[in-house]
Amino acid sequence: MTVSAQEPIAVPAALPGRAYRSYALGLLMLIYVVNFVDRQVVSILAEPIKQDLHLADWQLGLMTGLAFAVLYTVLGLPIARLAERGDRPLIIAVAVAVWSGFTAISGLAQTFTHLVLARIGVGVGEAGCTPPALSLIADTVPREQRASAVSVYMLGAPVGSLLGLALGGLIADALGWRMAFVLVGLPGLLLAGLAALTLREPRRGRPVVARADDGVPSFREALRELAGKRTYWRVVGGVTIKSFASYGALAFTGSFFFRNFPAELAQYAAMFGLKSAGFLGLALGVTSGVMAMIGTLLGGRIADHLARKDARAYAMIPAVGAIAGLPFSLAALNSDSLILALAFLLAPGLLGSMWLGPAYGVVQSLVRPETRATATAVLLFVANLIGLGLGPLFVGILSDVLSGQGHSEADAIKWSLTTFALLAVPCAYLFWSARKTMREEIVS
């Protein structure tokens, strides 16, 4: 809808103080932590769910990927449009409450269908998180700190994945997989209340003057703006391939270790007084999760530092990180030792997460402020529908096909994940190619 020249418009106001900026960014990061806890806890619970509900690998892939991703991606677009004009803290608060509630409900599932429906509900809630959050961050911090701020928010992904793996495994060992869903879902309700009560919408405090024709663009106008951004679509391509490979691997990493190292898992777990799921969750949290936390922060900081001289750093950091982590991923998947496999995961955990701050941060700079939430939502629509929706499903299908050809379940999942790891090559190429037009297409 085009806004007439007579309608009022809020003029830009000064940025909020440093103390509030730190608080708001910290709260949004915690919300994103809960987002990923509730999204990724299912990966460490996949094997006990498979045994309890008698599922095939393709069903695990559907449950962890497509069931979550369909409405998550579709609803992201209208929610982003609402965020361009509406109250972003309130949108975020409602979203957190919805996905947290459905995560807890997942523990009540008695059949595969029940669990799929609950995961769809989680996806519905999580659709309202990142587009309004990144738009809010862009309006809250100085431009030259944007990638660093986005990387702090994106830190929620590795921290949430770490906690989802660790807490999910420990709770499942002690109380069962159903109670793991219930207990990790409840903290989000508290964060929803804090978001509604304490986060500020910057638009509320801005003075109003007569609106010119440069108001919030219609969805068609926003898409037209994005269509002319070659850098944007190359970043979208890189993020999509990265998501396809990463989400596929995340969904089955626990299964890979359970199937390929059952004796070693039991042995090392007993040394620490744990069961296999609890030990593996902690081990994966430390190796992959902690390194991903460091990589996420480093990626944003390094990109902002280098971009002061050359904005193309926002593309170079993701490209180098993607390709440099590949040899270590292949070594981990083809190791014959549990400890070596976990050790090899340290490097891809660090390098493979450095893209988050630069990629999502530069998207906020490639478009006008009025189009930022829509640009993020379109990126998430493409990347998550293909990456999150189809990545786990395709890993599961390929594993089932290999099993049907005579491979053991352990070998089938190993070769399926190895195939997906090679997608780092086209991912790095697309990020690197975004360098060509990045400097001239940054506008805000």
Side-chain angles (χ1 to χ4, degrees):
M1 179 178 68
T2 304
V3 183
S4 70
Q6 287 73 35
E7 294 183 64
I9 180 174
V11 299
L15 293 173
R18 181 176 298 178
Y20 172 76
R21 294 204 305 265
S22 299
Y23 168 77
L25 188 57
L27 179 56
L28 289 171
M29 188 270 285
L30 286 176
I31 287 172
Y32 204 47
V33 167
V34 171
N35 181 303
F36 261 79
V37 168
D38 293 355
R39 186 187 308 188
Q40 296 300 338
V41 67
V42 69
S43 63
I44 197 66
L45 305 178
E47 210 58 17
I49 292 173
K50 174 186 172 80
Q51 302 303 322
D52 192 10
L53 300 183
H54 309 290
L55 306 181
D57 278 350
W58 74 265
Q59 290 175 298
L60 290 181
L62 179 66
M63 176 189 70
T64 57
L66 194 60
F68 172 90
V70 171
L71 287 181
Y72 174 68
T73 54
V74 171
L75 290 177
L77 290 171
I79 292 174
R81 296 305 300 163
L82 179 62
E84 303 289 19
R85 293 181 173 86
D87 189 319
R88 289 169 288 185
L90 183 59
I91 293 170
I92 293 168
V94 172
V96 180
V98 170
W99 88 60
S100 298
F102 274 105
T103 298
I105 290 172
S106 299
L108 305 178
Q110 298 299 312
T111 68
F112 173 67
T113 301
H114 293 163
L115 197 52
V116 166
L117 290 173
R119 297 304 293 172
I120 289 173
V122 176
V124 169
E126 294 201 5
C129 182
T130 294
L134 291 184
S135 173
L136 194 60
I137 290 170
D139 279 353
T140 305
V141 302
R143 186 186 71 173
E144 62 273 13
Q145 298 174 14
R146 198 169 286 159
S148 297
V150 170
S151 72
V152 172
Y153 171 77
M154 288 294 175
L155 189 62
V159 173
S161 296
L162 183 160
L163 292 175
L165 291 169
L167 294 176
L170 290 171
I171 297 171
D173 278 348
L175 302 172
W177 63 266
R178 298 180 188 279
M179 189 55 67
F181 277 123
V182 173
L183 293 182
V184 301
L186 296 179
L189 300 177
L190 173 62
L191 292 179
L194 286 175
L197 295 173
T198 64
L199 287 180
R200 304 174 196 165
E201 173 53 74
R203 299 169 185 146
R204 292 182 197 146
R206 294 178 181 174
V208 174
V209 299
R211 178 178 285 284
D213 290 331
D214 60 350
V216 176
S218 69
F219 185 54
R220 179 178 296 180
E221 291 168 339
L223 290 181
R224 191 180 300 122
E225 180 180 354
L226 294 176
K229 299 287 184 177
R230 290 170 293 177
T231 304
Y232 174 80
W233 292 109
R234 287 165 178 158
V235 171
V236 168
V239 172
T240 300
I241 295 177
K242 179 67 177 176
S243 298
F244 186 72
S246 296
Y247 282 121
L250 278 171
F252 286 92
T253 297
S255 296
F256 165 78
F257 281 98
F258 280 125
R259 297 178 194 180
N260 282 273
F261 306 103
E264 284 186 82
L265 275 175
Q267 174 188 345
Y268 284 106
M271 291 173 57
F272 293 93
L274 300 171
K275 295 181 181 178
S276 294
F279 172 78
L280 180 60
L282 288 171
L284 289 175
V286 171
T287 54
S288 298
V290 171
M291 297 308 291
M293 291 164 56
I294 298 171
T296 300
L297 286 175
L298 278 179
R301 296 288 178 85
I302 294 172
D304 271 342
H305 177 73
L306 296 179
R308 293 171 187 168
K309 294 182 178 179
D310 188 348
R312 294 178 299 177
Y314 293 125
M316 291 185 288
I317 297 300
V320 172
I323 201 66
L326 175 59
F328 299 95
S329 296
L330 296 177
L333 290 168
N334 291 277
S335 173
D336 57 1
S337 161
L338 170 66
I339 299 303
L340 280 178
L342 291 170
F344 280 128
L345 287 179
L346 292 170
L350 174 73
L351 298 166
S353 59
M354 294 181 71
W355 66 276
L356 285 161
Y360 282 99
V362 78
V363 164
Q364 306 303 301
S365 300
L366 289 169
V367 296
R368 292 176 292 162
E370 298 84 2
T371 316
R372 285 173 182 156
T374 301
T376 301
V378 171
L379 165 60
L380 291 174
F381 178 85
V382 177
N384 286 322
L385 189 61
I386 296 174
L388 178 56
L390 299 181
L393 180 60
F394 275 50
V395 171
I397 290 173
L398 181 55
S399 177
D400 283 338
V401 168
L402 293 172
S403 294
Q405 294 176 347
H407 292 275
S408 67
E409 284 196 336
D411 282 342
I413 197 63
K414 178 180 75 172
W415 292 117
S416 181
L417 292 174
T418 298
T419 302
F420 267 59
L422 296 173
L423 291 173
V425 176
C427 172
Y429 169 78
L430 282 169
F431 277 131
W432 190 259
S433 68
R435 298 164 55 255
K436 299 176 182 178
T437 53
M438 181 168 287
R439 283 186 294 194
E440 56 266 34
E441 289 188 351
I442 289 179
V443 298
S444 68

